Amino acid sequence: MTKVTIDYPSSIARRKLSVLFNNSPFMLSLVHDMCDSQAIVLAAMCDGKSVTSAGNRIEADYEVTKLAAVIDVLENKFYLPVSRMKIATASDTGAGTVQAKYHIAEDDMDSLLQDPEAVLLMRERLALSKLKSRDERCLKRLVAVHGYEEVFRSLQALGAANDSFGRDCG
């Protein structure tokens, strides 16, 4: 499998993204804020290519070292619509395993080209909603295990410590 950087060196990837999003200062700003590996992977996926982690046995257009970290940033910092396909395969030892292949779906790409700001804002709201829901579940679990009073005391102690820290450092 080919490493993505062979066909998409940093300068070419950034140029492709600049041309692709030339009507969107918003997207150009995001691309500018990306590190090279993020811009390279995004450029490949915007061209309709698929990527997988280096060393995986599944078929994809390109392989990328430390892809999970790159995808995490593209999804959770830049809120880009990355799709994943999980594929069952055999590991080196012969046991079954699941590996992921990532791409940007055609309809997501069309939406991203038409109104990138709306797409990313909607994805950001969805991500924040999921985060809030997860935090609420964690808080309910804490209260169930330790009781409301203990959790409340702990939060008060944290608040006082944070207030003190702000005064000392601000």
Side-chain angles (χ1 to χ4, degrees):
M1 200 173 330
T2 307
K3 286 201 172 278
V4 72
T5 51
I6 291 174
D7 291 341
Y8 292 88
S10 175
S11 58
I12 291 175
R14 289 186 183 279
R15 193 171 324 120
K16 282 181 178 260
L17 292 171
S18 294
V19 168
L20 188 62
F21 296 113
N22 68 344
N23 293 327
S24 174
F26 175 76
M27 278 301 293
L28 291 174
S29 173
L30 287 182
V31 170
H32 176 70
D33 292 345
M34 290 178 185
C35 71
D36 286 345
S37 59
Q38 295 156 2
I40 290 167
V41 169
L42 178 60
M45 291 191 301
C46 285
D47 278 349
K49 305 297 184 187
S50 61
V51 294
T52 191
S53 291
N56 278 359
R57 295 172 171 247
I58 59 176
E59 284 296 316
D61 296 309
Y62 295 106
E63 67 178 2
V64 180
T65 304
K66 298 183 181 176
L67 181 62
V70 173
I71 294 296
D72 181 63
V73 171
L74 292 176
E75 287 181 320
N76 298 316
K77 179 180 177 187
F78 296 110
Y79 303 106
L80 289 162
V82 177
S83 298
R84 73 180 35 81
M85 185 182 326
K86 295 191 175 191
I87 301 169
T89 187
S91 69
D92 293 340
T93 62
T97 187
V98 177
Q99 297 175 341
K101 175 167 65 169
Y102 301 91
H103 67 282
I104 295 180
E106 194 174 320
D107 57 333
D108 287 336
M109 191 64 213
D110 291 341
S111 299
L112 196 57
L113 289 172
Q114 287 177 0
D115 193 356
E117 208 163 343
V119 169
L120 301 187
L121 184 61
M122 185 225 15
R123 292 184 57 80
E124 180 181 21
R125 282 189 194 133
L126 181 63
L128 293 175
S129 172
K130 286 181 181 178
L131 186 61
K132 181 180 179 192
S133 179
R134 188 197 71 202
D135 290 347
E136 287 172 352
R137 283 193 310 273
C138 289
L139 191 55
K140 285 178 185 176
R141 204 172 352 212
L142 274 173
V143 169
V145 171
H146 299 287
Y148 176 82
E149 289 77 19
E150 182 61 31
V151 171
F152 187 71
R153 270 194 303 273
S154 296
L155 289 173
Q156 282 181 318
L158 286 174
N162 286 338
D163 290 344
S164 161
F165 179 76
R167 280 192 304 274
D168 295 343
C169 296

